[in-house]
Amino acid sequence: DAIRLNVCAVALSIYVGSPYEHQTLVSLARLIDEGQEYGIPVLAVTAVGKELEKRDERYLSLSSRIAAEMGAQIVKTYYCDKFEKVVKSCPVPIVIAGGPRLKTELDALQLAYDAIDRGAVGVDMGRNIWQSSNPVGMIKAIRAIVHEKASVKKATEIFHSHKTH
């Protein structure tokens, strides 16, 4: 299906430390093998579900490194305190998950800024963009942070300048 749809990459969640760890790691290995055969990169997602206590630097570093050592070309994980240690422990690029809806757009912009500042190459943000009162402004502001290294102040200005009426 991925080839038929002409995708740029495929993704799979792994659940390190859960009852599904073995099953998801085996599935990741298979997906990486298939992706390699057809030149399709694999993004491994270090999923934690509702287990918020797993959003610490030690767990995210371990699961990100496992994914990379298995052959994932990019890893999606959560932002946490000491995030730069997660980035340093992982030999492939990391993008952060946007996570649950934050209280304000400013909080989401700060999250994106902090992650990029500490070594992430990008963000995979959903509800903090499409549930925003100004999703177009939000995506443009996040883009400026990721691709232009914009400050939170500059990103906030971009967000407000694209308000729809």
Side-chain angles (χ1 to χ4, degrees), residues 133-144:
S133 62
N134 180 9
V136 171
M138 194 64 179
I139 194 72
K140 289 183 180 212
I142 294 291
R143 184 200 171 284

Side-chain angles (χ1 to χ4, degrees), residues 14-31:
I14 58 171
Y15 293 87
V16 174
S18 82
Y20 302 103
E21 176 178 311
H22 180 76
Q23 176 186 347
T24 60
L25 291 177
V26 167
S27 294
L28 179 64
R30 287 185 183 138
L31 186 61

Side-chain angles (χ1 to χ4, degrees), residues 3-155:
I3 293 167
R4 180 178 52 78
L5 293 170
N6 196 29
V7 302
C8 295
V10 293
L12 185 103
S13 295
I14 58 171
Y15 293 87
V16 174
S18 82
Y20 302 103
E21 176 178 311
H22 180 76
Q23 176 186 347
T24 60
L25 291 177
V26 167
S27 294
L28 179 64
R30 287 185 183 138
L31 186 61
I32 290 167
D33 286 347
E34 290 176 17
Q36 288 286 89
E37 186 175 339
Y38 297 102
I40 300 173
V42 174
L43 175 138
V45 181
T46 61
V48 298
K50 304 247 183 252
E51 299 171 350
L52 297 179
E53 71 276 2
K54 288 189 176 178
R55 290 189 190 189
D56 68 8
E57 166 257 329
R58 184 172 178 263
Y59 173 82
L60 297 174
S61 292
L62 172 66
S63 53
S64 295
R65 183 164 183 130
I66 288 170
E69 289 181 355
M70 291 187 70
Q73 288 88 350
I74 190 164
V75 170
K76 175 181 168 181
T77 195
Y78 293 93
Y79 182 77
C80 64
D81 289 334
K82 302 179 187 171
F83 184 73
E84 59 279 356
K85 290 184 177 185
V86 177
V87 172
K88 190 177 243 183
S89 73
C90 184
V92 300
I94 291 181
V95 298
I96 62 142
R101 176 88 165 100
L102 298 172
K103 288 182 182 177
T104 69
E105 281 89 352
L106 179 60
D107 292 337
L109 295 175
Q110 188 68 56
L111 171 70
Y113 178 84
D114 290 345
I116 297 300
D117 185 55
R118 289 173 176 81
V121 299
V123 300
D124 183 358
M125 200 169 270
R127 62 185 64 87
N128 283 297
I129 292 174
W130 52 263
Q131 288 181 354
S132 167
S133 62
N134 180 9
V136 171
M138 194 64 179
I139 194 72
K140 289 183 180 212
I142 294 291
R143 184 200 171 284
I145 290 170
V146 173
H147 295 287
E148 299 165 14
K149 307 287 189 235
S151 66
V152 174
K153 181 180 179 197
K154 177 66 176 165

